[in-house]
Amino acid sequence: MADLLTATPATAVPSPPRRTRRRWRNTLIGWSFILPNFLGFAVLTLIPVIAALVLSFMDWDSYNAPEWVGLKNFQRLLDDESTKIALRNTAYYALGHVPLTVLAALGLALLLNRKIAGVGFFRAAAFFPYITSMVAVAIVWNMLFNPEVGPVNQFLHFIGIDDAPGWTTSTTWAMPAVILTSVWRDMGYYMILFLAGLQAIPTEHYEAAKMDGANNWQRFRNVTLPGLRPVTFLVLILLTVQSFKVFDLIVVMTDGGPGRATLVLSQQIYRQGIVEGEFGYASAISLVLFALVLVLTLTQFWFNNRRERS
């Protein structure tokens, strides 16, 4: 009798139809969460990418029926001088924009990670350019870089530099002017990422290094930089993709000029597709740009994994 009173009641096992209904209900609940996002991704990204892939093997001007041309668009890439210049300019922009932005953002983060008066204001001021309209940024910096009356050249004349650069009117200095503007706009955003990384490094690591006699540079090299490796990797990936997609800043600031000095691949795609109506050729350039970014991203992943294993 006592065993009967203390015995644990057996758990009721749902019947097979009931388990099936529960599984279907959980599946539908899961789909209801991901379906809106997946539909947006499919309509706005996946389908256009697949359409661009198919169009890259066709000749289509949006007025006549598309015609299959095989690899003709890709062969044209090899002979198109404007596309070659755009590819070189894009690489030039990325090589300047990525390292300078990383250095500026990291420097700002180190400076504003200290307990100083008004640090919140300075962080907000550094982040503000990133949320400012790109058109406004481009127009203001065009005025600053004006060779005749711009404050930049006025300052250079003031410190004794008579032969100041022509900036956006010079084929030599137009791209550096665009890169400097991009760095100024983007460094605040990446500063926030570096700040988050700095504040995630345990203070015990710095205290241990200080007790071992490490100076400021040794603590930065052996504690800060390794602690920031995940954030640095993320910043490099984001900046590389962003650099190869640059479009609006260059269109407003230089429109690819003077000449073709700042023409980049995104603008070349726009000119060939939207302006010239050669959607097949523009899709082929888009595919090359996608492959280029994919290869660079995979290389960065491989390099990062190799460093983590070593």
Side-chain angles (χ1 to χ4, degrees):
M1 186 64 183
D3 293 342
L4 290 174
L5 291 174
T6 57
T8 304
T11 305
V13 178
S15 59
R18 191 174 175 183
R19 286 203 302 268
T20 304
R21 285 198 299 272
R22 182 180 298 173
R23 190 180 301 119
W24 271 106
R25 187 186 63 183
N26 291 338
T27 302
L28 290 175
I29 291 174
W31 273 104
S32 67
F33 278 106
I34 65 171
L35 195 59
N37 186 44
F38 179 77
L39 284 176
F41 168 76
V43 172
L44 300 176
T45 303
L46 184 61
I47 294 176
V49 167
I50 295 174
L53 175 64
V54 176
L55 275 177
S56 65
F57 298 97
M58 294 182 173
D59 186 9
W60 185 49
D61 59 2
S62 78
Y63 295 106
N64 301 301
E67 178 185 355
W68 182 266
V69 295
L71 296 175
K72 183 181 175 183
N73 287 326
F74 295 95
Q75 292 171 344
R76 181 180 168 186
L77 276 171
L78 302 175
D79 301 324
D80 189 344
E81 193 62 27
S82 291
T83 302
K84 291 180 184 176
I85 291 173
L87 179 59
R88 284 199 297 269
N89 288 340
T90 304
Y92 180 11
Y93 175 84
L95 288 173
H97 179 236
V98 174
L100 288 179
T101 304
V102 169
L103 291 175
L106 180 58
L108 268 178
L110 291 171
L111 188 65
L112 298 179
N113 193 40
R114 303 179 179 187
K115 294 179 181 178
I116 56 177
V119 66
F121 169 78
F122 292 120
R123 288 176 182 173
F127 183 73
F128 186 73
Y130 189 76
I131 58 174
T132 306
S133 164
M134 182 65 83
V135 175
V137 169
I139 292 174
V140 168
W141 275 92
N142 251 337
M143 296 168 63
L144 294 175
F145 281 129
N146 187 297
E148 304 298 331
V149 296
V152 175
N153 276 8
Q154 294 291 332
F155 174 75
L156 294 178
H157 291 312
F158 175 75
I159 62 176
I161 299 177
D162 296 327
D163 189 18
W167 299 115
T168 54
T169 62
S170 162
T171 55
T172 304
W173 288 96
M175 186 59 84
V178 172
I179 290 172
L180 288 175
T181 306
S182 296
V183 171
W184 176 81
R185 181 180 183 270
D186 295 337
M187 64 182 181
Y189 172 74
Y190 295 104
M191 174 204 70
I192 297 295
L193 299 183
F194 277 123
L195 268 177
L198 286 172
Q199 292 173 6
I201 299 175
T203 55
E204 292 82 2
H205 294 183
Y206 289 104
E207 292 170 358
K210 193 179 291 185
M211 291 180 65
D212 290 339
N215 57 30
N216 288 335
W217 168 249
Q218 289 170 329
R219 290 200 295 274
F220 173 74
R221 183 180 176 186
N222 298 311
V223 178
T224 303
L225 287 182
L228 286 177
R229 185 177 297 167
V231 177
T232 307
F233 174 65
L234 172 66
V235 168
L236 286 174
I237 293 288
L238 295 176
L239 272 173
T240 302
V241 175
Q242 183 184 354
S243 296
F244 278 85
K245 287 168 51 184
V246 63
F247 175 74
D248 44 4
L249 177 64
I250 286 183
V251 168
V252 178
M253 202 166 174
T254 62
D255 196 21
R260 293 179 288 187
T262 56
L263 177 67
V264 291
L265 280 177
S266 297
Q267 192 179 9
Q268 175 71 351
I269 293 168
Y270 171 78
R271 286 183 178 181
Q272 295 298 326
I274 305 300
V275 179
E276 302 293 336
E278 298 187 65
F279 292 97
Y281 183 52
S283 299
I285 304 174
S286 303
L287 204 61
V288 170
L289 178 60
F290 172 76
L292 194 60
V293 173
L294 181 64
V295 168
L296 288 173
T297 304
L298 291 177
T299 303
Q300 288 175 318
F301 268 99
W302 174 80
F303 187 71
N304 185 64
N305 291 336
R306 186 180 177 186
R307 289 196 63 182
E308 286 184 348
R309 286 197 298 268
S310 61

